[in-house]
Amino acid sequence: STNTMQSSAADLSRRSFALAEQNLNAAFEHAQRLVRAKDPAEAMRLQAEFVQSQFQAMQAQMREFGGVMQQAAGQAARTAQD
């Protein structure tokens, strides 16, 4: 049970860092696009697209974390029963 929890926590931690890196890269790329915007209208469009894409990414990330947590809880419960 303890090993299962530690393994799940380590997996979750690794995935968290990977997702944080993806989010930082997306923000950096967005900043580069904003700097190259030709006018305020293009900058506003880029900002709206970025916010929408990040919102979708965050939803997917939360679904993934929820699944990982459910899986870890299920494994811990099975191990405790044994």
Side-chain angles (χ1 to χ4, degrees):
S1 173
T2 301
N3 288 341
T4 301
M5 292 295 281
Q6 288 173 342
S7 176
S8 296
D11 290 344
L12 190 58
S13 178
R14 280 191 292 275
R15 188 63 186 139
S16 294
F17 281 114
L19 292 173
E21 183 178 15
Q22 285 177 359
N23 293 339
L24 285 172
N25 287 337
F28 182 70
E29 290 171 13
H30 171 61
Q32 289 179 325
R33 280 191 221 98
L34 279 179
V35 168
R36 292 190 303 265
K38 296 175 185 142
D39 55 39
E42 183 180 5
M44 293 296 288
R45 180 184 56 79
L46 290 169
Q47 181 65 25
E49 290 171 358
F50 175 72
V51 168
Q52 183 178 18
S53 69
Q54 285 304 104
F55 182 72
Q56 291 170 348
M58 287 180 68
Q59 286 180 318
Q61 292 167 7
M62 291 301 108
R63 280 193 301 274
E64 180 180 345
F65 280 126
V68 169
M69 296 302 287
Q70 284 180 337
Q71 191 174 39
Q75 288 174 346
R78 284 189 297 278
T79 302
Q81 289 175 348
D82 292 341

